[in-house]
Amino acid sequence: MYAYAPLLQALGGHIVSCDEMTGVQALERIAATQPMRPGRVERREFEYKRHGTLSPIVTFDIVTGQVLGAACGPTRTEADFAAHIASTIDSDPEAVWVFVADQLNTHQSESLVRLVAQRCGVADDLGVKGESGILHSLSSRAAFLSDPTHRIQFVYVPKHTSWLNQVEIWFSILVRRVIKRGNFTSLDDLRMRILDFIAYFNQTAKPFRWTYTGRPLVA
């Protein structure tokens, strides 16, 4: 899929990686951090105030290496994820979109099925969640969302292989550069720091050099 991404982009489509971070805390140190000096390491206060948490939902472009969009709200519900996907599609509403995601239940939800059906012009009866049709179960919804004949398709990585999802690499960069050593006075402060970092990151973004080819990691 990643190898195919440049060709699809040349044809006007997009292969993107998406996921969310849960419970990112806005922590404020109760005393100022003492910066490094000759012969002395940086010293950080261990006590802090909690100002709540955010759950950023991010879409990462495989080809450009840029973050296409981020929703930095307090929750990551089914509705939150579907709204983020809709916003991403709206950036190029007539294009082909392929979303690489893990198998979290909110990534295989009724809201997502209805969104894809509406955007792809699927007029079939979707059924009733928990009872019948496409909406019947998690597996039936996943099968519909991963249908390659749809203009909007989800490709799910196997369970316990979230490392195959490239946005996880970007999340690790965000943690190292912004969150781990950050000091945030409020949720708005945390939100703005994340969005400012995305804007900065996108200015010089390059695609990740993906070398894994599917070879089994164990015999």
Side-chain angles (χ1 to χ4, degrees):
M1 186 59 63
Y2 292 154
Y4 175 61
L7 175 59
L8 183 60
Q9 187 187 59
L11 296 173
H14 309 273
I15 294 180
V16 296
S17 170
C18 59
D19 202 5
E20 57 275 291
M21 293 183 70
T22 59
V24 179
Q25 298 187 80
L27 302 180
E28 179 182 9
R29 305 290 169 179
I30 65 172
T33 298
Q34 301 297 311
M36 288 189 299
R37 291 189 295 173
R40 179 173 293 183
V41 299
E42 178 185 82
R43 304 175 74 180
R44 288 192 295 159
E45 173 61 55
F46 68 91
E47 290 192 57
Y48 51 80
K49 297 178 184 177
R50 288 190 176 96
H51 296 292
T53 62
L54 294 178
S55 296
I57 305 173
V58 172
T59 298
F60 177 81
D61 191 305
I62 301 301
V63 176
T64 67
Q66 293 182 323
V67 174
L68 291 183
C72 294
T75 58
R76 55 171 186 87
T77 64
E78 169 183 328
D80 294 328
F81 188 75
H84 174 72
I85 295 300
S87 177
T88 301
I89 295 170
D90 286 342
S91 67
D92 195 356
E94 302 303 320
V96 171
W97 288 91
V98 179
F99 293 90
V100 179
D102 62 32
Q103 298 186 44
L104 188 67
N105 59 348
T106 54
H107 301 169
Q108 303 172 353
S109 68
E110 176 182 1
S111 299
L112 211 52
V113 168
R114 294 192 181 280
L115 171 67
V116 171
Q118 187 267 324
R119 295 298 181 96
C120 294
V122 176
D124 299 345
D125 180 16
L126 300 177
V128 179
K129 185 177 180 180
E131 296 183 12
S132 63
I134 293 169
L135 294 176
H136 175 251
S137 66
L138 204 64
S139 59
S140 63
R141 296 193 295 272
F144 174 83
L145 291 168
S146 59
D147 187 337
T149 65
H150 294 162
R151 182 174 60 85
I152 300 167
Q153 176 194 0
F154 281 77
V155 173
Y156 297 106
V157 299
K159 291 182 178 180
H160 311 301
T161 62
S162 60
W163 56 273
L164 289 173
N165 198 349
Q166 287 197 15
V167 73
E168 300 294 346
I169 302 174
W170 188 86
F171 281 147
S172 71
I173 295 172
L174 176 69
V175 169
R176 293 195 304 271
R177 300 283 185 86
V178 178
I179 296 172
K180 185 176 181 179
R181 304 172 71 84
N183 185 57
F184 311 104
T185 59
S186 65
L187 282 180
D188 286 338
D189 184 25
L190 173 59
R191 182 181 295 107
M192 288 308 301
R193 293 278 291 278
I194 293 173
L195 294 177
D196 287 347
F197 177 73
I198 289 173
Y200 165 77
F201 182 89
N202 282 349
Q203 291 178 6
T204 57
K206 295 181 180 180
F208 297 136
R209 183 172 174 268
W210 191 258
T211 59
Y212 182 62
T213 59
R215 178 180 58 86
L217 298 180
V218 294

